[in-house]
Amino acid sequence: MDNVLDIEHLSTIFKTEEGVVRAVDDVSLQVRQGEIVCIVGESGSGKSITAMSVMGLVEAPAGQVVGGTISFHGENLLTLSRNELRTVRGNEIAMIFQEPMTSLNPVLRIGEQLMEPLMEHLKLSRKAARKRAIELIGEVGIARAEQIADSYPHELSGGMLQRIMIAIAISCGPKLLIADEPTTALDVTIQAQILDMLRRFKDESNMSILLITHDLGVVAEMADYVVVMYAGKVVEEGEVVALFESPKHPYTQGLLKSKPIINQRQDELYSIPGQVPNPLELVPSCYFHDRCAHCMDICRTKQPDLKDIGNGQKVACWLYEEAMAYV
Ligand code: SF4
């Protein structure tokens, strides 16, 4: 399978009054055609900033991509002009966000917002765009499509708005869909319907999906391949079955342990002790060392590299380094 997206050694920083935050630090990942890759991690892990870097949404001067490449079908997006990137964005790469209300224009009717990309990217006439917009509303499972096209965002429920966001995202037949926590704000029934819909659209068009989530239930449901991020770095990655059956990094093990088990009563849900480190206070070390039950001396002073450990898994942890001679 070809790589649709190939991120190599991506680093993205933010300049704050307190200092420079390295939000994404030397991250590499690939998304192949027709594949769903999930990036999972807690808040502050860098997963959303990775997605925003791909979309060119990291705003200078505070935010800046300072290293690496982001290749989409072999073309480095970081070398494109604003206009070139705009053409790719919305046309070949689309993104949906957690909170549709912040992405939709509150004073524009739904139909108009669906027509805009159809006219801009596909060069449809107003009449053809209106017809296609109504079809798209139906395709995302909303009844009374014409009436909805003439509604304003505030007249629709959260679930309907997220369906509209999906309709806008798929309207131009993107090759890659980036979905950042697309179901977090929705109740579980609607969440399942939205995930089903995303998977159906992916299967129908062979598009690829980069799905950002903190929810391991969503990962289990959707992912072919999983990338686990912590404090801006990839700490483990692998095929979804291998990673769920045999997580290697203590952080991944903790995440899986903290997931509720269906049909099993749990008096207390496990949570990983401690907090994600302050990004302004990171020192060369395994960034998870303060929270890790297996921490060794080397973990406090040296950062482990992401290494292939077989079974299609990669992990950045000194427990799996052959070079324990360093200790
Ligand atoms: Fe734990 Fe050390 Fe592995 Fe980090 S490198 S996860 S501290 S054992």
Side-chain angles (χ1 to χ4, degrees):
M1 267 193 291
D2 296 335
N3 285 340
V4 171
L5 181 71
D6 196 346
I7 300 176
E8 293 290 342
H9 305 293
L10 177 70
S11 292
T12 303
I13 60 159
F14 285 89
K15 293 175 192 153
T16 69
E17 283 181 4
E18 290 82 29
V20 173
V21 170
R22 192 164 275 265
V24 176
D25 186 3
D26 195 21
V27 164
S28 297
L29 67 90
Q30 288 75 39
V31 183
R32 293 178 294 180
Q33 187 163 359
E35 184 181 49
I36 301 180
V37 173
C38 282
I39 308 182
V40 65
E42 292 165 285
S43 305
S45 61
K47 53 191 194 312
S48 291
I49 304 298
T50 302
M52 286 170 69
S53 303
V54 174
M55 293 300 279
L57 296 176
V58 173
E59 296 276 343
Q64 212 178 328
V65 174
V66 291
T69 55
I70 302 171
S71 299
F72 176 68
H73 281 301
E75 184 168 38
N76 185 1
L77 298 179
L78 297 176
T79 62
L80 298 186
S81 67
R82 265 185 118 74
N83 272 350
E84 288 170 328
L85 191 58
R86 256 191 72 168
T87 308
V88 174
R89 203 164 59 199
N91 196 0
E92 294 184 80
I93 307 178
M95 186 159 183
I96 46 178
F97 298 90
Q98 177 179 338
E99 197 34 85
M101 256 328 237
T102 56
S103 310
L104 290 166
N105 186 335
V107 295
L108 259 190
R109 293 180 200 273
I110 296 294
E112 291 288 334
Q113 303 197 47
L114 267 158
M115 287 160 64
E116 211 173 274
L118 295 168
M119 292 191 291
E120 185 182 334
H121 295 296
L122 301 186
K123 308 293 176 215
L124 296 191
S125 66
R126 251 195 101 69
K127 193 173 168 202
R130 163 94 185 167
K131 182 168 177 279
R132 180 67 188 128
I134 290 168
E135 281 170 11
L136 280 162
I137 295 172
E139 282 172 27
V140 293
I142 302 179
R144 299 176 289 110
E146 261 196 89
Q147 190 183 329
I148 296 297
D150 292 329
S151 306
Y152 289 97
H154 72 268
E155 297 175 284
L156 273 56
S157 69
M160 281 169 116
L161 289 174
Q162 197 54 295
R163 285 170 196 265
I164 296 296
M165 286 310 299
I166 293 172
I168 293 173
I170 61 162
S171 61
C172 299
K175 308 277 184 303
L176 174 67
L177 177 68
I178 300 178
D180 189 359
E181 306 272 12
T183 56
T184 303
L186 306 173
D187 70 49
V188 281
T189 319
I190 307 293
Q191 172 171 318
Q193 291 170 1
I194 297 279
L195 294 177
D196 271 358
M197 186 188 304
L198 284 177
R199 185 173 276 288
R200 177 163 54 82
F201 286 135
K202 179 205 82 82
D203 290 342
E204 284 169 5
S205 64
N206 204 23
M207 90 185 158
S208 311
I209 300 181
L210 181 62
L211 182 59
I212 317 293
T213 183
H214 67 279
D215 184 338
L216 285 163
V218 171
V219 177
E221 178 85 11
M222 297 291 285
D224 297 306
Y225 195 84
V226 187
V227 174
V228 183
M229 286 187 72
Y230 186 77
K233 296 198 79 78
V234 174
V235 294
E236 181 163 6
E237 62 176 79
E239 302 286 340
V240 66
V241 175
L243 198 122
F244 269 68
E245 279 181 356
S246 180
K248 294 292 188 288
H249 196 283
Y251 177 59
T252 317
Q253 292 167 353
L255 282 179
L256 286 168
K257 211 170 148 190
S258 52
K259 183 174 169 291
I261 302 165
I262 294 167
N263 295 334
Q264 193 171 313
R265 190 188 144 85
Q266 288 162 284
D267 291 332
E268 211 175 305
L269 217 52
Y270 175 81
S271 71
I272 303 171
Q275 304 286 332
V276 179
N278 182 338
L280 291 162
E281 292 171 3
L282 295 173
V283 291
S285 62
C286 166
Y287 296 155
F288 190 61
H289 75 262
D290 274 351
R291 307 173 75 184
C292 180
H294 308 281
C295 181
M296 303 168 281
D297 286 345
I298 191 172
C299 307
R300 297 189 183 89
T301 54
K302 231 175 152 77
Q303 195 154 63
D305 291 328
L306 193 68
K307 292 266 169 75
D308 194 330
I309 53 160
N311 198 26
Q313 273 166 287
K314 292 181 186 173
V315 63
C317 172
W318 286 113
L319 289 172
Y320 303 91
E321 284 281 348
E322 290 168 1
M324 287 304 289
Y326 285 125
V327 184

